């Protein structure tokens, strides 16, 4: 039997195993009987689609640099809710969001860990079971309505949909302090899969700041370096911005050192809306972030900032798709990777500018820093332009620390280690300095120093 045949057999077996799990639990009642019909319809639709889909391989163009064989080697069981004490997440709490925090454990709402005591009127934060009746009838307009190609992992998430974190901001409501959406994964003595789901709706004229945080409660030293039983987080979050709404979104992935993480953000922007995303990836053995943005009106503004910091033998993959479908759209993207040891970083950013998107201004830049000769980066910023009256640019750089810069700093009295740290910190600070939480910026800045220790 050839290696290709072995790989294909594993993929089919793994997909069938997941489908068996899903089919076995799809008849279970949702957490709220009032919404059972809506959720069952979403599940049934996803089941129909997933039968036509397969786990991607390196022969698929979108996955040609990402080897999923380490993920396929495990037989994951569905994760269950595990009660936690508040002290288990103490190190993850942000002072800026202390009373604006919603927590899910293994994809299940944990109200005793959440704190939403300072949420103003006109903003709902909770889960589907708590969703007010005036929102419930409008839910089918948003939940599981993502466009684009059918993604097997996002579809798998929908087949097991039982609950979701919901943030619903009514018209003209503005909340300045960040809302902390914390998804905790708890490893078990067997490999487990958890599938958290998020839904954020910013109605006309509203404005919020959101921190979407994936972590583990196994906090002993550096959480993203902890070696525990492998677990798989398969996450989906949909964000809708109605006319003139604004969302400042930070997404932080800090899975443990033996975790697998595949996450999707689907963003829909109406006319004159403004969306900003800061995507930070530090943890997990293998991670992938699929970010899809759809501009669905004129005058929309989109800003994507990303930072990937990996070492050892980690693999981190970022795929972004930007669809500018209307006139006077603006898009700016800067994605940075810091690669150490034998790690492998991947970036593929697509920008689509059809004929209808005249007077578009789009800029995309991928900058990558290799700290080891054994590290690897595959980067591909990509523009597909049909419109003829636009301003668009893209670029990519891959470099090591400049010895001239290190020498200059040493000539000013700094040690070689301190000089290198200073240059790396400056490289990461362009992204970390834009985060809405000073506490989070400090924590992640320390992570950069720790993860790039040359001593």
């Amino acid at each position: 039997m050839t290696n290709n045949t072995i790989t294909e057999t594993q993929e089919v077996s793994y997909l069938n195993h997941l489908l068996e799990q899903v089919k076995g639990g799809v008849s279970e009642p949702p957490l709220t009987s009032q919404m059972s019909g809506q959720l069952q319809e979403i599940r049934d639709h996803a089941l129909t689609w997933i039968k036509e889909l397969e786990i991607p391989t390196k022969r698929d163009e979108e996955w040609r640099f990402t080897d999923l064989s380490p993920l396929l080697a495990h037989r994951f069981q569905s994760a269950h809710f595990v009660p936690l004490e508040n002290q288990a997440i103490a190190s993850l709490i942000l002072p800026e969001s202390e009373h604006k925090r919603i927590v899910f454990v293994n994809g299940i709402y944990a109200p005793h860990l959440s704190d939403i005591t300072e949420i103003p009127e006109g903003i709902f934060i909770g889960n589907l079971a708590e969703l007010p009746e005036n929102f419930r009838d409008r839910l089918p307009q948003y939940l599981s309505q993502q466009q684009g190609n059918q993604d097997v992992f996002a579809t798998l998430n929908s087949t097991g949909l039982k609950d979701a974190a919901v943030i619903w901001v009514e018209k003209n409501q503005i909340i300045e302090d960040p809302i902390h959406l914390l998804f905790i994964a708890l490893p078990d003595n067997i490999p487990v899969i958890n599938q958290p789901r998020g839904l954020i709706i910013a109605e006309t004229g509203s404005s919020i700041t959101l921190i979407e945080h994936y972590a583990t409660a196994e906090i002993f030293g550096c959480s993203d370096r902890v070696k525990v039983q492998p677990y798989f987080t398969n996450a989906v979050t949909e964000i809708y911005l109605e006319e003139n709404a604004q969302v400042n979104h930070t997404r932080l992935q800090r899975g443990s050192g033996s975790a697998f993480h595949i996450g999707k953000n689907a963003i829909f922007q109406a006319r004159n809306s403004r969306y900003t995303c800061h995507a930070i990836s530090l943890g997990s053995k293998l991670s992938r972030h699929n970010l899809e943005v759809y501009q669905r009106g004129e005058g929309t503004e989109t800003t994507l900032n990303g930072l990937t910091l990996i070492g050892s033998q980690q693999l981190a993959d970022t795929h972004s798709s930007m669809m500018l479908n209307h006139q006077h759209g603006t898009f700016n993207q800067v994605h940075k990777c810091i690669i150490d040891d034998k790690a492998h970083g991947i970036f593929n950013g697509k920008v689509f500018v059809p004929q209808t998107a005249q007077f578009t201004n789009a800029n995309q830049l991928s900058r990558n820093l290799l700290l080891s000769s054994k590290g690897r980066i595959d980067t591909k910023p990509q523009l597909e332009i049909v419109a003829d009256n636009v301003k668009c640019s893209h670029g990519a750089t891959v470099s090591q620390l400049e010895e001239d810069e290190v020498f200059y700093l040493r000539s000013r009295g700094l040690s070689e280690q301190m000089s290198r740290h200073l240059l790396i910190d400056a490289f990461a600070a362009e992204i970390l300095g834009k985060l809405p939480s000073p506490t989070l910026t400090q924590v992640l800045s320390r992570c950069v120093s720790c993860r790039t220790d040359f001593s």
Side-chain angles (χ1 to χ4, degrees):
M1 182 181 291
T2 66
N3 289 335
N4 287 341
T5 304
I6 293 174
T7 302
E8 289 172 1
T9 302
Q10 289 175 337
E11 289 159 4
V12 172
S13 174
Y14 178 73
L15 179 58
N16 287 340
H17 176 67
L18 290 179
L19 286 175
E20 287 171 5
Q21 282 188 311
V22 170
K23 291 176 182 178
V26 77
S27 60
E28 297 178 2
L31 297 181
T32 170
S33 58
Q34 297 96 324
M35 305 185 64
S36 59
Q38 294 182 16
L39 296 184
Q40 191 63 53
E41 185 176 345
I42 292 172
R43 288 175 172 184
D44 292 343
H45 181 73
L47 272 174
T48 301
W49 268 106
I50 204 167
K51 293 175 182 178
E52 307 297 326
L53 301 175
E54 296 181 354
I55 298 293
T57 72
K58 295 182 73 173
R59 293 188 297 273
D60 296 293
E61 178 64 24
E62 296 298 308
W63 292 83
R64 65 192 183 101
F65 295 120
T66 303
D67 182 8
L68 291 177
S69 58
L71 174 67
L72 303 177
H74 299 284
R75 289 293 186 99
F76 296 99
Q77 303 295 320
S78 297
H80 300 287
F81 180 79
V82 179
L84 288 177
E85 300 295 331
N86 284 309
Q87 63 183 21
I89 65 168
S91 63
L92 302 173
I93 294 176
L94 302 174
E96 300 90 339
S97 307
E98 187 173 359
H99 302 295
K100 299 178 178 65
R101 179 182 72 252
I102 179 172
V103 181
F104 279 65
V105 177
N106 285 344
I108 302 171
Y109 183 42
H112 66 289
L113 299 176
S114 305
D115 185 346
I116 53 175
T117 55
E118 293 187 1
I119 298 301
E121 189 175 348
I123 298 177
F124 169 78
I125 300 179
N127 70 332
L128 289 176
E130 298 177 342
L131 192 65
E133 189 173 351
N134 59 312
F135 295 141
R136 207 168 289 156
D137 292 340
R138 299 166 57 192
L139 191 67
Q141 302 175 32
Y142 302 103
L143 186 60
S144 194
Q145 296 302 309
Q146 60 261 45
Q147 300 174 353
N149 296 327
Q150 289 294 330
D151 174 356
V152 64
F153 292 105
T155 306
L156 178 63
N157 181 289
S158 295
T159 60
L161 181 60
K162 296 180 181 179
D163 201 5
V166 181
I167 300 174
W168 201 310
V169 188
E170 296 189 83
K171 291 181 179 180
N172 301 319
Q173 296 296 318
I174 296 175
I175 182 169
E176 296 182 357
D177 293 333
I179 299 170
H180 193 188
L181 180 52
L182 182 56
F183 291 109
I184 298 293
L186 278 183
D188 205 338
N189 56 2
I190 58 172
V192 293
I193 176 174
N194 69 91
Q195 302 196 86
R197 188 66 173 247
L199 176 65
I200 291 84
I201 300 165
E203 293 189 8
T204 301
S206 64
S207 177
I208 62 166
T209 299
L210 169 71
I211 298 174
E212 180 185 3
H213 188 175
Y214 296 89
T216 174
E218 297 286 342
I219 305 298
F220 302 102
C222 183
S223 63
D224 46 299
R225 286 298 199 184
V226 175
K227 299 295 182 182
V228 296
Q229 187 68 247
Y231 65 91
F232 176 24
T233 297
N234 181 35
V236 175
T237 298
E238 300 166 279
I239 301 178
Y240 293 85
L241 293 84
E242 296 186 355
E243 187 171 344
N244 202 35
Q246 179 171 321
V247 173
N248 187 347
H249 177 208
T250 297
R251 187 186 194 276
L252 173 60
Q253 184 275 118
R254 291 195 67 188
S256 76
S258 43
F260 301 90
H261 182 102
I262 295 179
K264 179 176 182 177
N265 287 122
I267 319 299
F268 307 93
Q269 292 186 250
R271 180 179 180 182
N272 294 326
S273 61
R274 297 169 299 284
Y275 173 74
T276 299
C277 179
H278 312 288
I280 314 295
S281 180
L282 303 179
S284 299
K285 177 180 180 180
L286 184 154
S287 64
R288 170 146 170 157
H289 181 207
N290 296 311
L291 178 58
E292 299 179 1
V293 183
Y294 301 87
Q295 291 190 351
R296 303 200 293 190
E298 294 184 2
T300 48
E301 298 179 14
T302 307
T303 301
L304 306 181
N305 298 311
L307 176 65
T308 296
L309 173 62
I310 51 175
S312 185
Q313 297 185 21
Q314 289 179 279
L315 183 149
D317 184 351
T318 298
H319 268 62
S320 65
S321 297
M322 181 71 220
M323 273 62 72
L324 298 106
N325 297 313
H326 298 271
Q327 295 185 6
H328 302 287
T330 301
F331 170 65
N332 290 286
Q333 181 175 29
V334 176
H335 190 274
K336 292 189 171 187
C337 290
I338 302 176
I339 311 295
D340 202 359
D341 299 326
K342 298 179 181 179
H344 183 189
I346 302 158
F347 171 75
N348 187 189
K350 294 182 179 179
V351 181
F352 299 94
V353 187
Q355 185 67 33
T356 56
Q358 301 293 341
F359 311 108
T360 287
N361 190 342
N363 300 284
Q364 185 182 56
L365 179 61
S366 168
R367 296 186 61 196
N368 306 279
L369 185 60
L370 286 175
L371 303 180
S372 167
S373 60
K374 297 180 180 180
R376 177 182 172 186
I377 180 73
D378 290 289
T379 180
K380 184 184 178 184
Q382 183 177 342
L383 291 174
E384 295 186 17
I385 304 172
V386 178
D388 54 6
N389 194 354
V390 298
K391 293 181 180 179
C392 296
S393 66
H394 65 169
T397 63
V398 180
S399 63
Q400 297 176 326
L401 291 176
E402 294 289 343
E403 292 302 325
D404 290 346
E405 295 176 350
V406 175
F407 176 79
Y408 174 82
L409 293 174
R410 294 193 66 188
S411 70
R412 294 301 186 268
L414 298 178
S415 66
E416 181 171 354
Q417 179 179 347
M418 183 63 70
S419 299
R420 292 182 178 275
H421 272 306
L422 190 61
L423 292 172
I424 295 171
D425 290 346
F427 184 83
E430 182 182 356
I431 306 299
L432 297 182
K434 297 177 180 178
L435 301 185
S437 166
T439 302
L440 191 58
T441 298
Q442 293 174 7
V443 169
L444 295 179
S445 295
R446 289 196 296 268
C447 285
V448 173
S449 298
C450 177
R451 297 285 294 271
T452 56
D453 190 351
F454 296 100
S455 59

